[in-house]
Every structure is written in C-alpha cells, then in structure tokens.
Amino acid sequence: MTIKNPHVLPEQPLLARLQRNLIGIFLISFLLLDGLTFAVTETLFRHDLLVHAQNNMSQIWHKQQDDETQEILHNDFSFRQTSDNFITTWDIAASKHIVQSVAYGPGIPFPLKNIFPFYAYLKPTHHASFVIIKRGSLQILVGTDPLWHNGQFVGWIQSVYSLGEMQIATRVLAKTSLIVAGFMGVLALVLAYGLSKRNIVPIKHALQRQRDFVHNASHELRTPLSIIQTSLELAQEDAQGELKGFIDSSLSEVHYLTRLLTHLQRLAQQDSGILALDYQWFDCAPIIEDVIDAFQEPAKQAQMAIKSQLTNPLMIYADPTLFKELLIILIDNAIKYGQHGGNQITVQSLLSGRTVSIRITDNGKGIPPAVQTRIFERFFRASPQNGHGFGLGLAMAAWIVHMHQAHIHVQSEPYYQTTFTVDFPLPRRGSP
Ligand SMILES: Nc1ncnc2c1ncn2[C@@H]1O[C@H](COP(=O)(O)OP(=O)(O)OP(=O)(O)O)[C@@H](O)[C@H]1O
Ligand SMILES: [Mg+2]
C-alpha cells in the first residue's frame, strides 16, 4: 500500500474550514427561513384569492338566480347562450338537473367543449361546493349549488369561474418573491459571513494564546537545555565506566527533548504562518552524510547499520535547515521503528528528470496498512510501545514537504521493507 501526499492540516485550513461550515449553516438557515416565509405568504395569498373568487362567483349566481332562473325554467331548460358572461344552460331532463355554465373572469370564454367534460367529474351535493380543475395551463373553479324554485329543490346550478386572474397574480407574486429572495440571499450571505467571522474570533484568540504559549515555552526551555547539553558533553569527555553510561543516556534524552522543542516551535510557526523560509540551491549530499554520521552511534546501539547510496553532488532547491530536519525525522523513525525486526537502513538518492528523490528504507516491523493513512496526523502514533515520541515527526515532515511543493509517500510491507520517499521538484535555475 502506498500513501501519497498526505493532507497537512494545521490550524489555518481547519479554521477556514470551520468558517466555511459556519457560513453554510447560517446561509442554509436564512434561506430556509426565507423559503418558509415565501411558502406561507404564497399559501395565504392563494387562499385569499380563492375565497375572493368564490365570493365573486356566489354573488353572480345569486344575482342570476334572482333575475334569470325563472327565465331558464320557463324556457324548457334548453341549451342556449344568453349573454357574454352567462353562456349556457343545459338541461339534463331525466335527472331533473339544470346545469348552467357561467363563464366569468379573464381567460374567458372557454370553448364549451372544454367545459362540459368536466361535469362528469363533479358529484353535486345538497350544499354548495367548489372544485378546481386544471386543463393545461388553465385553472377553473367549478362551483355547484342547489337550485330552488318557489321553495322547491329543482336541481343544481353549476358555474365555472376562470382562475386566470389568480394565476396571473400568483405569477406576479412568485416573480416579486424571486427578486426579494435573491436580494435576501445576498443579504443572508453577507450576514452569514459576518456572523461566522464573529463566532470564530474567540476560537482564533484561544488558539493564538495556545500557540504563543507553546512557542514561548519551547523557546524558554531551549536555553537551560542547551546549558545542560554542553555540561553533559564536557562531563562525557572525562567520564568512565558506569558514570559514562549515565551521561550518555542523559545526553540522548537531552537530544530527544531538544528535537521535541524544535517540533513544537515549528508547529507553532506553521500555524501562525510566520516562518520565512530561506530557499536556495545547494548540494544536499554532504548534509545527508552529516545526518547519517550523527545517527551512526544510536543506530549501532539499536544494532542497525545505516548505509547510503547518494549521487554526488546532489543539487536541490530548498531551505537547508528544514531539509536537514526532514532527514532527521525520517532517519530517526527508521532507527526507532526499524530496529523492531530489522537491522538495515538505506538512504538513497535518485535523480530523474527535474525531480530529486530521497528514499529512506528500513526492514523493520513496518506500518500496519489500516493506519498508514493516519501517520502524518499530528500526535498520531501507530505503536506507542515502540520507543518514546509524540507523534509529531511525520506531521512536521508533511509540512516541510508541503512548503517545498514536494511530495512524500510511504510504502510499507511489514517485516520486509518500509520506504519513505520524498520527491523534490527542481525549478529551472534562475526561475524562482
Ligand atoms: N519507519 C517506520 N516504521 C514503522 N512505523 C513507523 C515508521 N515511521 C513512522 N512510523 C509510525 O508512524 C508514527 C508517527 O510517526 P512520527 O514520527 O510522526 O511520530 P513519533 O516517531 O511517534 O514521535 P516523534 O517523531 O514526535 O518523536 C509512529 O508512531 C510509528 O508508529
Ligand atoms: Mg518520529
């Protein structure tokens, strides 16, 4: 399994992601509220218009019943047209039902053949009832009312009222709402951005305080540590026997603490983004050899051998200090974890095209596939029982690689071979 280009997640991107999420949450809430308001307004508006249409229709009926029903009844309920609004009457003699169609309102007249088939769907009751029927883009309100003559129920009167007016009004409402919603959307975005920014400020401050503390504490601890280191190194020169052993192990603890402080300081710098890197062309082969030399003693103690296969010279474009730190992290890991089951570490360089690759291989117990994706996370340790550590080395390595637009990948086959490869791109000379 190969893990390539791990995500480096320092606080800046995390905060940006948090802010983006907050904006999303605020925006969705605003838009939902906006949509809900529109839906409620539209429903109330439609309801109002419908009631208005029904009232209108009832008024026309009653007027027509008073003025014209007599005439209809006396005219043998024939099919005829009486006026523009009052189009037809229709007698269904067998069931003694009078069906009257009154077309009224904008969008009228409907062709009669379009209206009559609707009656088939209507089931008149003894109470007035209204049904909305849709035909294509047309909507009509069909009302059914009992018809009385001289106090006697004689049948039904059905009337058709075009809802064209309502449709037009609803369309106007929708258009207006869309414009208002667009405006509200922009307002919501601005508000969401402002609110998210406001909410993130205390988190930013808390992180800043924590970062300052880590930075200051590691800075303050560095001076006494380097005094202890110098004293121990002086004492080491004359020490013998058991005392030398104590001093050696104390020195290795001091080295470990110094490295930890460097990591912590680097992480604080990484999060605040205030580290100015010193990119330059240099031959990295001597630096690699220096680091290998420095690790020869700890490797011997871990019964491991480090060998190098380097191209000489090996020019790269990078920050020399960070490059050295990267190597220290990877070789330190190769010794610390490779010694469990392995005895050999190889540091290799490869030049292909415009890429310089550095490979550090060990033959130790390796990294279980399930956690390979996590080893670059801060504070993650796959095997805490194997030597001490804080799980910061590879997070640092990923950041250093990121700062150089380089790539890091790991390939691990437990108890056979674990290889970390860093690919440095080589810019054209004079271009950066
Ligand atoms: N060469 C390797 N072989 C096996 N496991 C490794 C190797 N390199 C890293 N790991 C695993 O990845 C984990 C993370 O490594 P990392 O260097 O980030 O932290 P650490 O070594 O535990 O602590 P620190 O480097 O902060 O002292 C380690 O705990 C170890 O489980
Ligand atoms: Mg480490």
Side-chain angles (χ1 to χ4, degrees):
M1 180 165 162
T2 310
I3 303 299
K4 262 186 122 169
N5 305 339
H7 285 297
V8 197
L9 281 181
E11 287 159 8
Q12 296 298 340
L14 277 179
L15 276 180
R17 194 201 278 180
L18 179 65
Q19 186 168 7
R20 273 200 305 276
N21 288 349
L22 277 177
I23 291 180
I25 291 168
F26 285 134
L27 200 62
I28 289 171
S29 320
F30 282 134
L31 291 181
L32 276 181
L33 212 68
D34 201 12
L36 201 71
T37 315
F38 171 66
V40 171
T41 315
E42 213 238 355
T43 312
L44 291 180
F45 183 72
R46 267 176 156 276
H47 178 258
D48 250 27
L49 283 176
L50 210 60
V51 168
H52 176 73
Q54 289 174 358
N55 286 342
N56 232 349
M57 209 157 119
S58 299
Q59 271 174 21
I60 296 163
W61 283 353
H62 293 132
K63 191 170 170 295
Q64 283 169 350
Q65 280 186 36
D66 293 346
D67 302 347
E68 304 183 45
T69 308
Q70 296 290 340
E71 189 196 333
I72 300 167
L73 291 172
H74 287 124
N75 273 321
D76 213 13
F77 318 135
S78 58
F79 180 85
R80 68 195 182 98
Q81 179 151 354
T82 52
S83 74
D84 275 355
N85 282 348
F86 182 64
I87 300 178
T88 58
T89 60
W90 187 28
D91 171 26
I92 307 173
S95 57
K96 277 197 142 196
H97 283 179
I98 295 169
V99 178
Q100 177 190 46
S101 163
V102 180
Y104 184 82
I108 296 297
F110 292 111
L112 288 177
K113 62 179 173 15
N114 275 349
I115 297 174
F116 285 128
F118 295 142
Y119 295 145
Y121 304 119
L122 298 174
K123 277 211 186 113
T125 64
H126 278 265
H127 308 285
S129 64
F130 295 93
V131 182
I132 294 178
I133 295 176
K134 291 183 184 170
R135 247 302 151 97
S137 62
L138 289 177
Q139 279 187 22
I140 50 172
L141 180 68
V142 179
T144 308
D145 217 11
L147 186 65
W148 306 93
H149 180 55
N150 290 338
Q152 264 212 322
F153 171 73
V154 289
W156 301 96
I157 183 161
Q158 286 197 314
S159 296
V160 181
Y161 187 88
S162 165
L163 292 180
E165 210 173 55
M166 187 174 99
Q167 278 176 282
I168 292 167
T170 317
R171 240 176 275 144
V172 171
L173 176 76
K175 236 190 227 168
T176 320
S177 303
L178 214 68
I179 295 168
V180 176
F183 177 72
M184 293 294 280
V186 174
L187 196 73
L189 191 68
V190 173
L191 275 176
Y193 181 75
L195 275 176
S196 68
K197 234 179 153 180
R198 248 183 97 142
N199 274 281
I200 227 149
V201 166
I203 304 174
K204 257 187 179 161
H205 285 166
L207 285 174
Q208 180 64 42
R209 279 195 296 274
Q210 187 208 48
R211 219 159 34 220
D212 290 348
F213 170 76
V214 171
H215 187 81
N216 296 338
S218 41
H219 190 77
E220 290 300 316
L221 285 171
R222 197 172 276 281
T223 319
L225 258 185
S226 64
I227 295 171
I228 295 171
Q229 184 178 343
T230 319
S231 314
L232 282 173
E233 278 165 359
L234 284 174
Q236 195 185 34
E237 286 171 13
D238 303 325
Q240 277 171 357
E242 208 180 341
L243 181 63
K244 189 172 181 311
F246 287 143
I247 294 178
D248 284 349
S249 63
S250 304
L251 255 177
S252 90
E253 291 301 317
V254 168
H255 287 147
Y256 169 70
L257 280 179
T258 312
R259 246 196 349 264
L260 173 66
L261 291 185
T262 309
H263 286 353
L264 286 176
Q265 247 177 332
R266 286 276 183 256
L267 289 176
Q269 285 167 335
Q270 172 184 348
D271 288 337
S272 59
I274 51 164
L275 184 65
L277 301 192
D278 177 22
Y279 297 105
Q280 50 183 275
W281 283 101
F282 63 94
D283 178 9
C284 67
I287 296 187
I288 301 176
E289 293 291 5
D290 277 358
V291 175
I292 292 175
D293 281 353
F295 273 109
Q296 286 300 356
E297 186 53 34
K300 213 165 89 191
Q301 280 171 17
Q303 286 160 0
M304 298 193 85
I306 311 180
K307 66 173 186 181
S308 61
Q309 296 166 358
L310 302 175
T311 322
N312 225 330
L314 190 57
M315 297 303 289
I316 62 163
Y317 186 77
D319 178 303
T321 314
L322 288 188
F323 176 80
K324 193 171 172 183
E325 277 178 26
L326 177 67
L327 271 178
I328 292 175
I329 290 165
L330 295 177
I331 298 178
D332 175 56
N333 278 352
I335 297 174
K336 197 157 62 174
Y337 306 109
Q339 64 182 293
H340 301 279
N343 56 6
Q344 177 83 43
I345 295 168
T346 314
V347 182
Q348 214 182 352
S349 72
L350 290 151
L351 182 63
S352 89
R354 302 208 62 79
T355 306
V356 166
S357 304
I358 315 282
R359 268 188 198 160
I360 291 113
T361 307
D362 67 72
N363 56 351
K365 71 179 232 179
I367 307 161
V371 299
Q372 284 184 14
T373 48
R374 301 200 54 198
I375 54 173
F376 293 95
E377 289 173 16
R378 287 182 183 180
F379 305 111
F380 180 83
R381 304 199 71 213
S383 35
Q385 70 277 17
N386 294 341
H388 53 198
F390 283 89
L392 285 175
L394 288 180
M396 271 301 305
W399 174 71
I400 294 173
V401 160
H402 174 74
M403 294 304 282
H404 288 83
Q405 274 130 41
H407 302 288
I408 184 165
H409 27 126
V410 55
Q411 224 170 349
S412 183
E413 266 184 61
Y415 292 109
Y416 171 63
Q417 196 164 284
T418 297
T419 306
F420 281 84
T421 309
V422 186
D423 297 326
F424 281 92
L426 294 182
R428 299 200 180 276
R429 290 258 178 168
S431 64

